[in-house]
Amino acid sequence: MKLDWSHTVLNINNKERILDFYTNILDFKVSDRGLLAENGPEIIFISQNPKEHHQLAFVVDRDEVGSHSSLNHLSFRVDSFDELKEAKLKLDSINHDYLPLCHGNALSFYFNDPENNGLEIFFDTPWDIDQPQAVAWDPELDEKNALKWVEKTFKNEPSFVIREESNKEFVNRK
Ligand SMILES: [Fe+2]
């Protein structure tokens, strides 16, 4: 299993100050934003790399998400579904809890390290879709059936497209 570092998600308090700094001083673009659940919290994704939907993301209202740490999660990409399965088997082998979530553009496992730092391991699907999105998926599915399920679950969303056809240039999303 080879883990490619993809992105980090931080819990923040002052989104105006943070966005001003990362977009105006460090030249990031807001690649997507939205509510994680019906009543929030808000998540704001930023990137400079067209190959990464987000290199950093911020979950707003650090106090409300109940975290005293700024770290929400570190995220790693694997290049194959088999490696995602390998990660699952390793976690299963030590009875370690994880949450299988699908963002439409990725199949993920979320879990914590032994000191409760959030981690994500994900495999890219062939599709892009506006974020945030999160639907629980069945980690027992094989690759073919998992991808079939992803397509069926997200294909009615207007922003759901084959990755190569999506617009790679990020414009700042307000
Ligand atoms: Fe993530």
Side-chain angles (χ1 to χ4, degrees):
M1 178 168 66
K2 182 179 159 288
L3 301 178
D4 253 340
W5 197 322
S6 167
H7 63 264
T8 300
V9 179
L10 299 175
N11 300 315
I12 62 159
N13 272 321
N14 188 327
K15 71 174 167 184
E16 283 76 25
R17 246 177 95 188
I18 287 281
L19 284 185
D20 184 51
F21 182 80
Y22 280 92
T23 60
N24 295 326
I25 306 301
L26 297 182
D27 280 342
F28 281 90
K29 298 275 190 282
V30 174
S31 54
D32 247 329
R33 63 197 305 168
L35 299 181
L36 280 174
E38 222 167 287
N39 298 314
E42 185 182 15
I43 185 165
I44 303 169
F45 304 98
I46 66 172
S47 188
Q48 294 198 7
N49 180 353
K51 290 192 180 128
E52 292 288 358
H53 172 270
H54 50 289
Q55 295 173 301
L56 264 176
F58 307 111
V59 175
V60 182
D61 290 335
R62 186 162 159 183
D63 296 336
E64 272 172 41
V65 295
S67 175
H68 298 293
S69 163
S70 66
L71 181 69
N72 187 290
H73 65 274
L74 304 172
S75 178
F76 301 90
R77 169 184 285 110
V78 288
D79 284 337
S80 67
F81 189 85
D82 286 350
E83 287 170 293
L84 192 66
K85 275 285 161 115
E86 192 185 331
K88 173 199 173 325
L89 291 176
K90 285 190 166 167
L91 292 169
D92 284 346
S93 76
I94 56 165
N95 280 325
H96 200 87
D97 277 345
Y98 56 87
L99 178 66
L101 275 185
C102 178
H103 303 301
N105 59 3
L107 288 159
S108 303
F109 293 131
Y110 284 89
F111 51 100
N112 289 339
D113 79 7
E115 300 208 348
N116 264 346
N117 298 302
L119 296 171
E120 175 188 14
I121 294 180
F122 72 94
F123 169 65
D124 280 325
T125 71
W127 301 286
D128 264 341
I129 184 168
D130 285 352
Q131 297 297 319
Q133 310 270 352
V135 182
W137 65 286
D138 177 359
E140 303 301 331
L141 292 176
D142 63 18
E143 178 168 8
K144 202 175 127 212
N145 285 307
L147 291 177
K148 241 191 225 169
W149 173 86
V150 175
E151 187 170 23
K152 195 178 92 202
T153 305
F154 293 93
K155 71 176 180 210
N156 291 330
E157 294 275 336
S159 65
F160 187 74
V161 289
I162 293 170
R163 192 177 301 276
E164 284 76 48
E165 293 169 4
S166 73
N167 179 6
K168 299 283 189 189
E169 283 298 305
F170 289 125
V171 289
N172 261 325
R173 292 200 167 184
K174 297 290 178 218

